[in-house]
Amino acid sequence: MSKINSINDFVIKFANVNGSGSASANQMFAKGVFRSGIPVSPKNIFPSNIQGLPTWFEVRVNEKGYLGRRDGIDIFVAMNPQSYQKDVSELKENGYLIYDSSWKREFGREDINVLEIPLTKLCVQEFTNPKQRLLFKNLGYVGLLASILEMDKEIYVSLIEEQFRGKEKLIEPNVKALNIGYNYAEENFKDFCEIKVQKSDKTDGLILTSGNDAAGLGCVYGGATVCAWYPITPSTSLAESYNKYSEKLRVEIGTDKNKFAFIQAEDELAAMGMTIGANWNGARAFTATSGPGVSLMSEFIGLAYFAEVPTVLFNVQRGGPSTGMPTRTQQSDILCSAYASHGDTKHVLLIPSDPKECFDFAVEAFDLADRLQTPVIVLLDLDLGMNDWSTKEFEWDDSIEYDRGKVLSKEDLDGIERFGRYLDVDGDGIPYRTYPGTHPEKGAYFTRGTSHDEYAGYTEDGVKNAEMLSRLLKKFQTASSLVPAPVFNQEKNESSMGIIYFGSTDCSMQEALDVLEDQNLKIDAMRIRAFPFNLEVWEFIEDHDLLFIVEQNRDGQMRTLIMAEGGIIPDKLVSILCFDGQPITAEHITNKINAHLSGKPALAAS
Amino acid sequence: MTYIVKPKNHHPLLEKNKLGLTRRDYEGAVSTLCAGCGHDSVSSAIVEACFQLSIESYKVAKLSGIGCSSKAPAYFLNQSHGFNSVHGRMPSIATGAAMANHELLYLGISGDGDSASIGIGQFVHCARRQLNMTYIVENNGTYGLTKGQFSATNDLESKNKYGDDNLFPSIDLPSMAIQLGASFVARSFSGDKEQLVPLLKAALSHKGFSFLDIISPCVTFNNHNTSTKSYDYIREHNDALSKPDFVPSGKEILTDYPKGSSIEVPLHDGSLLALEKLSEDYDPADKIKAIQNIQESQRDGKVLTGLLYADPKAKDLREILNVSDKPLNTMDREELCPGSDKLEGINSGLR
Ligand SMILES: Cc1ncc(C[n+]2csc(CCOP(=O)(O)OP(=O)(O)O)c2C)c(N)n1
Ligand code: SF4
Ligand SMILES: [Mg+2]
């Protein structure tokens, strides 16, 4: 029998039952590989359910640092008889199947290598507690993997020790469970597997964390003091991350009181209202949600836009429309975020592509919201938000101050004859604001969502209102020079073709570009990081005759936004789309581009 | 409609308060509401209460939703920041604002449509969270601004201007507020300044969620003889629980006050709300009794007014969440940012 043979380059998938405690063992496997110095991209594929349904966990191990999802499984750890059939069919020819042979099975495939381990039987022999018998099967297969992949078992022993720090009693049985699998494999499968993990140094300077965790931490570093939110997958862990880090890092010494307020609101409308109220009053505040929540928040987003109240919103996108696929990923809220709310509205979007950037953009979002006095929406997606990524370490420069924007102090007000909340004093479209309670006689104004003049007075003068709307547009223009610039793959453009992409697609794109280059297809590439589009974005579009726009949605929403905002002719912009709820693969991108270039555009678009 | 700024001619004889301010200093823009609208009476009672309490206007935040009632904050306290938000969502704005800076006084103005229909969820949760604010519903039993549709506080079978019957029972906001945990609940009538001003003063001095349901007739759409929210109906059916007198801290309690028949409610800042008892077994600290009183008078076709319930010792949201005594909006980067050393520690935990 032939066997897949590779070092530090494979995809392993685990099939489990939801709620069986497998998640932490699978996570531990991935972390062990990461600690061996090889970048990993673990992905949780889970149902919208708490217990009993099939769930999968996929880890790509790749020394080159390609972290995008890749089709074809090299090793399958099949622990769920319910899904055996489907799971085994995903295994590549000559791949390895590991299953619990306490109940023997035939899988009807001659082209794969099967490793049988009677995990349940072994655990029943070694443990008396019925819960442990079930739970420790998971660590058993981690032990087996450590053996067959020839990994340093001690890495897992220390991971167990770290996990149970403070609950030392649990270390011994966990290590025992690990050894059950490890020793069984040492005895039965020595030199069986030809896929290996070999220590490397490719994770130097990297950490393993999720976008939500990073963004929540970024909010702490960015000075957010109020978080109001309503639970919704996949954004919940972002708010929870903020709370977790705040409880560690934001408690007053001496009084034990919190330098933050964390409020679970009654719904997303209230969450957004609280966020706006706090920002209006001079605190940095944010909320986190997903598509359905954005729909509910839309009226308030329009208020914040028109009344010019800074607001930060994280939209961790999931499969839509409607309740859609709550536990699958998409980039399908581009338009509803960019133009959220009724009337003429447009909003600043920040689009990070890895957890490090989630941290950085969280910090930046507060500066931009304060500077521009407008909602800033940070767009993540489920893949980026909820999965752990091998990402660059967080960095912080202690000398940098927050930019609180144009806020007048009591002294400033003393020097002003008449304060006009909506006067464009500097010609950049950004007015000055005051916090309530600043000055006994000056600076008070009435914030309203109804039409108003420069002094915040109610007006039904249509010309005045049109002036106000035009100034908001000017402010948006100013925003385009302040938001993060795009990232280019090349120092200078070399091709008449370009690729535009954004967000979590980045990891597959790096790989796709390398593959295309190997095929002698040199295409320039630009990663958009923000809306409104900066000058550099328009120049790149201008400089190329044909542009592929890679998106994880059905309608090519970024393409629409580019056409609408820049008057770009549709023929020039070709969509490369993926909207099956799975993160896009490099192969998908290269196949579609090749199909288009070989004169089969229909195939490319489907 | 435009915004009219009143000329500010201070009459030397105008009475001054502790801050040396006159009532004019507490006024707002000229009202654009209909002449005779109950909401204007509430605004002037607010002016009076703030004047008497010598409140510093700039330390007040006036918040509202949408409706004729929600426009009212423009017509009092010119020196206060105001926030006329969206329909039914004032409570969430107030919650966020109060978390940012607990040192201001939060005064929310809402309507019966704003609070009992579209915003009932926010009203409920704001009361339940014990937000430290004064929450006023200017209750006219109709949607004034959209021209006279029934609201959810209208009594069953009462008629609107067009003669249609209201088919559904009314929501009683004070009973709800008590049940939800509001620590100060009162009802009054826009036409009864003598009762309203002391209640407002007490509500503004109370720490915690102070709720005031003020029957405030809409002269244009709901002041006819088949309405239970008309001036005439309320005057005839007003069943006052108590005659309140508010004694701010530091001021001596009037000696000629009829002690035998009065109850004193001490508020957290040391001030007192003295109630002349009209009803024998009335105790504003008894939640269950309070709800029973309301229901009984409703059954008898009366509108019970006065202080219905008060718990001066209740905790407020900030205390419940254990938020710092220093307002969050005054904390700077040094206080808020954990810095690079801590970040290095976090990085190493993620390797
Ligand atoms: C989302 C939304 N829906 C509907 C309206 C229209 N609207 C404006 S005011 C109002 C009712 C106000 O009634 P109430 O709160 O009782 O105030 P009143 O005018 O009676 O004082 C409605 C339905 C709106 N402004 N926003
Ligand atoms: S319509 Fe009714 S509530 Fe509105 S201003 Fe006129 S009287 Fe007042
Ligand atoms: Mg009304």
Side-chain angles (χ1 to χ4, degrees):
Chain A
M1 168 74 59
S2 315
K3 291 174 181 172
I4 294 176
N5 173 311
S6 83
I7 292 168
N8 295 347
D9 181 16
F10 60 94
V11 176
I12 179 168
K13 190 165 176 174
F14 302 80
N16 302 91
V17 175
N18 203 12
S20 66
S22 56
S24 73
N26 297 345
Q27 210 84 42
M28 190 179 285
F29 167 75
K31 187 121 185 185
V33 179
F34 182 84
R35 286 240 176 129
S36 309
I38 305 115
V40 291
S41 49
K43 297 197 191 299
N44 222 328
I45 304 154
F46 61 104
S48 183
N49 169 275
I50 304 302
Q51 207 175 40
L53 288 185
T55 164
W56 293 271
F57 188 83
E58 202 175 286
V59 186
R60 181 164 184 194
V61 176
N62 186 279
E63 192 166 2
K64 280 193 192 156
Y66 294 150
L67 299 173
R69 204 175 66 80
R70 192 202 77 189
D71 276 330
I73 309 300
D74 301 296
I75 305 174
F76 216 119
V77 180
M79 290 293 140
N80 182 6
Q82 269 178 304
S83 60
Y84 273 166
Q85 207 175 6
K86 176 176 182 290
D87 295 343
V88 172
S89 73
E90 283 180 26
L91 196 54
K92 285 205 306 209
E93 190 183 346
N94 305 328
Y96 304 86
L97 174 72
I98 296 157
Y99 84 104
D100 183 353
S101 60
S102 306
W103 297 273
K104 290 230 181 208
R105 279 289 281 262
E106 282 299 322
F107 294 96
R109 267 188 76 171
E110 300 300 319
D111 60 341
I112 57 171
N113 304 286
V114 180
L115 290 86
E116 297 188 329
I117 176 167
L119 275 170
T120 302
K121 280 191 182 151
L122 292 170
C123 286
V124 167
Q125 277 167 25
E126 299 293 331
F127 300 101
T128 48
N129 179 327
K131 220 173 124 194
Q132 288 190 336
R133 283 173 169 174
L134 201 73
L135 205 62
F136 285 151
K137 283 197 302 190
N138 302 321
L139 269 177
Y141 63 68
V142 174
L144 174 131
L145 289 169
S147 160
I148 64 168
L149 297 171
E150 294 180 2
M151 296 174 68
D152 178 358
K153 193 184 75 181
E154 288 313 306
I155 289 178
Y156 288 104
V157 174
S158 31
L159 281 169
I160 290 172
E161 286 167 357
E162 286 166 31
Q163 187 177 345
F164 296 105
R165 199 168 285 151
K167 297 180 213 152
E168 272 71 15
K169 262 202 343 248
L170 294 173
I171 294 174
E172 192 264 338
N174 274 279
V175 172
K176 184 169 151 188
L178 181 80
N179 280 329
I180 288 174
Y182 188 84
N183 294 338
Y184 188 89
E186 290 287 300
E187 278 163 34
N188 296 284
F189 304 119
K190 201 83 201 139
D191 301 324
F192 182 85
C193 179
E194 292 178 14
I195 297 177
K196 306 283 176 216
V197 171
Q198 232 170 53
K199 278 201 178 164
S200 177
D201 57 2
K202 298 296 188 305
T203 57
D204 290 358
L206 299 185
I207 52 174
L208 190 62
T209 191
S210 68
N212 282 353
D213 206 67
L217 180 65
C219 291
V220 176
Y221 272 75
T225 50
V226 178
C227 168
W229 66 295
Y230 189 77
I232 182 170
T233 306
S235 72
T236 301
S237 55
L238 198 163
E240 287 171 346
S241 155
Y242 172 78
N243 191 42
K244 172 186 79 180
Y245 285 118
S246 293
E247 281 178 347
K248 274 198 210 122
L249 304 166
R250 279 276 194 79
V251 178
E252 259 171 14
I253 299 160
T255 66
D256 267 354
K257 291 194 177 182
N258 298 330
K259 292 192 276 186
F260 67 98
F262 184 67
I263 309 176
Q264 186 182 322
E266 56 271 34
D267 55 33
E268 286 87 348
L269 289 85
M272 187 40 108
M274 291 175 194
T275 307
I276 292 172
N279 274 300
W280 173 76
N281 217 0
R284 287 189 154 182
F286 74 97
T287 183
T289 190
S290 192
V294 175
S295 293
L296 287 183
M297 291 172 181
S298 286
E299 186 188 20
F300 255 143
I301 295 174
L303 173 77
Y305 172 79
F306 194 45
E308 302 182 62
V309 184
T311 302
V312 173
L313 159 65
F314 293 86
N315 176 4
V316 188
Q317 299 163 94
R318 63 190 213 175
S322 189
T323 305
M325 293 200 293
T327 61
R328 299 292 191 272
T329 198
Q330 268 184 3
Q331 299 175 319
S332 51
D333 295 345
I334 312 294
L335 289 172
C336 86
S337 300
Y339 299 132
S341 207
H342 52 279
D344 289 323
T345 54
K346 300 192 203 210
H347 310 293
V348 174
L349 308 179
L350 300 184
I351 316 175
S353 71
D354 59 31
K356 163 74 161 63
E357 218 169 46
C358 289
F359 175 87
D360 293 340
F361 283 9
V363 175
E364 177 127 24
F366 291 101
D367 276 0
L368 283 170
D370 273 342
R371 169 64 37 194
L372 294 162
Q373 300 175 19
T374 199
V376 172
I377 303 175
V378 188
L379 282 176
L380 283 73
D381 60 35
L382 182 140
D383 181 27
L384 174 57
M386 288 187 73
N387 288 320
D388 277 349
W389 289 47
S390 302
T391 190
K392 286 208 190 82
E393 288 172 352
F394 301 133
E395 293 164 325
W396 190 258
D397 179 347
D398 290 312
S399 68
I400 291 178
E401 289 295 338
Y402 299 150
D403 177 8
R404 299 306 313 266
K406 300 184 186 180
V407 181
L408 297 176
S409 67
K410 183 167 182 293
E411 293 67 40
D412 294 335
L413 283 165
D414 278 331
I416 289 173
E417 182 118 15
R418 186 176 174 205
F419 167 66
R421 168 66 180 97
Y422 298 112
L423 276 175
D424 184 9
V425 178
D426 304 325
D428 55 3
I430 308 170
Y432 284 79
R433 67 176 184 136
T434 55
Y435 300 154
T438 301
H439 193 293
E441 284 128 34
K442 285 178 162 178
Y445 68 98
F446 210 67
T447 304
R448 55 177 98 237
T450 40
S451 40
H452 43 262
D453 61 19
E454 291 92 336
Y455 296 92
Y458 178 69
T459 178
E460 288 183 9
D461 176 346
V463 175
K464 208 25 55 197
N465 193 49
E467 278 171 24
M468 215 42 75
L469 288 171
S470 302
R471 181 182 54 75
L472 287 171
L473 204 56
K474 187 185 319 162
K475 183 164 86 168
F476 208 62
Q477 199 73 42
T478 302
S480 71
S481 63
L482 299 178
V483 297
V487 171
F488 297 101
N489 193 53
Q490 58 290 330
E491 264 173 35
K492 71 182 214 310
N493 296 336
E494 289 169 24
S495 164
S496 63
M497 289 186 291
I499 300 179
I500 295 174
Y501 64 102
F502 56 93
S504 65
T505 305
D506 187 35
C507 56
S508 288
M509 187 55 71
Q510 292 314 318
E511 186 179 358
L513 290 170
D514 286 353
V515 171
L516 289 171
E517 200 165 337
D518 286 349
Q519 297 169 354
N520 277 325
L521 251 182
K522 180 76 191 117
I523 307 184
D524 298 326
M526 168 178 73
R527 176 162 69 87
I528 288 177
R529 300 199 295 169
F531 177 71
F533 302 122
N534 339 56
L535 196 61
E536 291 98 319
V537 171
W538 298 123
E539 283 170 355
F540 182 84
I541 293 170
E542 182 73 32
D543 275 2
H544 294 88
D545 302 329
L546 179 69
L547 290 143
F548 296 101
I549 307 189
V550 186
E551 318 191 37
Q552 303 188 43
N553 59 56
R554 184 194 68 183
D555 291 344
Q557 297 190 15
M558 186 63 88
R559 177 175 179 266
T560 302
L561 196 60
I562 289 171
M563 290 183 329
E565 293 289 321
I568 307 297
I569 48 161
D571 292 357
K572 190 172 162 174
L573 308 173
V574 177
S575 274
I576 305 290
L577 305 171
C578 166
F579 52 96
D580 62 5
Q582 303 231 63
I584 196 168
T585 62
E587 202 183 359
H588 181 97
I589 297 168
T590 52
N591 283 350
K592 296 273 170 163
I593 288 175
N594 280 321
H596 183 88
L597 295 178
S598 61
K600 296 182 214 113
L603 209 70
S606 65
Chain B
M1 255 186 285
T2 48
Y3 212 61
I4 309 162
V5 182
K6 275 187 202 168
K8 268 207 168 181
N9 313 323
H10 284 239
H11 194 284
L13 292 179
L14 281 177
E15 191 189 335
K16 293 197 167 148
N17 66 8
K18 262 200 286 193
L19 297 176
L21 300 173
T22 69
R23 288 177 176 79
R24 291 302 293 276
D25 295 311
Y26 289 90
E27 289 178 350
V30 171
S31 171
T32 57
L33 303 179
C34 307
C37 175
H39 302 348
D40 280 338
S41 312
V42 178
S43 295
S44 65
I46 291 170
V47 168
E48 184 63 31
C50 292
F51 166 76
Q52 289 186 20
L53 287 174
S54 295
I55 283 173
E56 293 177 287
S57 298
Y58 81 109
K59 299 233 166 105
V60 178
K62 315 172 286 184
L63 312 157
S64 62
I66 296 288
C68 296
S69 36
S70 291
K71 287 182 178 185
Y75 315 135
F76 57 81
L77 303 192
N78 241 347
Q79 295 307 328
S80 306
H81 273 65
F83 200 148
N84 186 194
S85 66
V86 291
H87 198 17
R89 317 293 172 205
M90 174 273 282
S92 59
I93 296 285
T95 307
M99 286 304 98
N101 180 5
H102 62 90
E103 288 182 346
L104 301 182
L105 203 73
Y106 293 91
L107 175 56
I109 307 289
S110 179
D112 43 323
D114 205 56
S115 280
S117 285
I118 191 168
I120 197 161
Q122 296 213 345
F123 164 72
V124 162
H125 287 276
C126 190
R128 172 178 167 262
R129 286 193 191 100
Q130 329 264 16
L131 184 66
N132 184 12
M133 74 175 298
T134 296
Y135 191 120
I136 293 173
V137 169
E138 300 185 350
N139 186 351
N140 54 12
T142 192
Y143 285 16
L145 195 58
T146 50
K147 300 193 191 304
Q149 297 81 7
F150 281 122
S151 91
T153 64
N154 244 26
D155 292 304
L156 186 66
E157 289 169 4
S158 68
K159 290 187 193 304
N160 67 9
K161 190 185 179 176
Y162 314 103
D164 308 321
D165 284 327
N166 176 30
L167 304 176
F168 303 102
S170 70
I171 290 174
D172 185 66
L173 293 171
S175 311
M176 270 181 88
I178 294 170
Q179 200 262 325
L180 290 164
S183 48
F184 181 105
V185 179
R187 174 152 44 212
S188 191
F189 171 43
S190 63
D192 185 357
K193 252 199 181 137
E194 241 178 87
Q195 185 193 48
L196 182 53
V197 172
L199 282 177
L200 274 169
K201 285 161 71 182
L204 289 166
S205 308
H206 173 79
K207 188 199 74 192
F209 191 74
S210 310
F211 178 68
L212 268 158
D213 179 34
I214 305 176
I215 313 288
S216 172
C218 168
V219 288
T220 307
F221 297 110
N222 205 16
N223 195 34
H224 44 85
N225 55 13
T226 47
S227 160
T228 56
K229 298 275 191 293
S230 64
Y231 279 112
D232 288 346
Y233 186 91
I234 299 296
R235 289 218 171 89
E236 273 164 38
H237 296 80
N238 187 350
D239 188 14
L241 253 185
S242 52
K243 226 172 114 189
D245 188 23
F246 179 79
V247 188
S249 61
K251 194 172 158 191
E252 237 185 279
I253 299 164
L254 297 170
T255 44
D256 62 348
Y257 203 80
K259 269 257 156 78
S261 63
S262 78
I263 297 176
E264 281 157 5
V265 184
L267 300 173
H268 82 289
D269 61 355
S271 52
L272 283 180
L273 179 63
L275 299 168
E276 186 188 341
K277 272 208 284 185
L278 296 181
S279 138
E280 259 323 295
D281 53 6
Y282 179 64
D283 174 8
D286 186 340
K287 234 182 201 189
I288 296 168
K289 259 280 166 49
I291 293 180
Q292 195 183 342
N293 277 334
I294 297 171
Q295 309 262 303
E296 281 173 2
S297 63
Q298 204 170 12
R299 178 198 60 202
D300 301 339
K302 292 178 180 168
V303 182
L304 192 64
T305 62
L307 176 70
L308 302 167
Y309 174 73
D311 172 9
K313 289 195 199 69
K315 276 194 172 181
D316 74 346
L317 176 61
R318 186 179 67 87
E319 292 167 317
I320 295 168
L321 294 180
N322 192 34
V323 173
S324 168
D325 298 334
K326 185 169 188 214
L328 295 175
N329 73 347
T330 62
M331 296 185 181
D332 58 13
R333 194 215 52 173
E334 237 155 83
E335 277 165 288
L336 296 175
C337 182
S340 57
D341 287 353
K342 287 270 176 11
L343 196 60
E344 191 31 51
I346 291 167
N347 276 331
S348 57
L350 296 170
R351 273 179 208 127

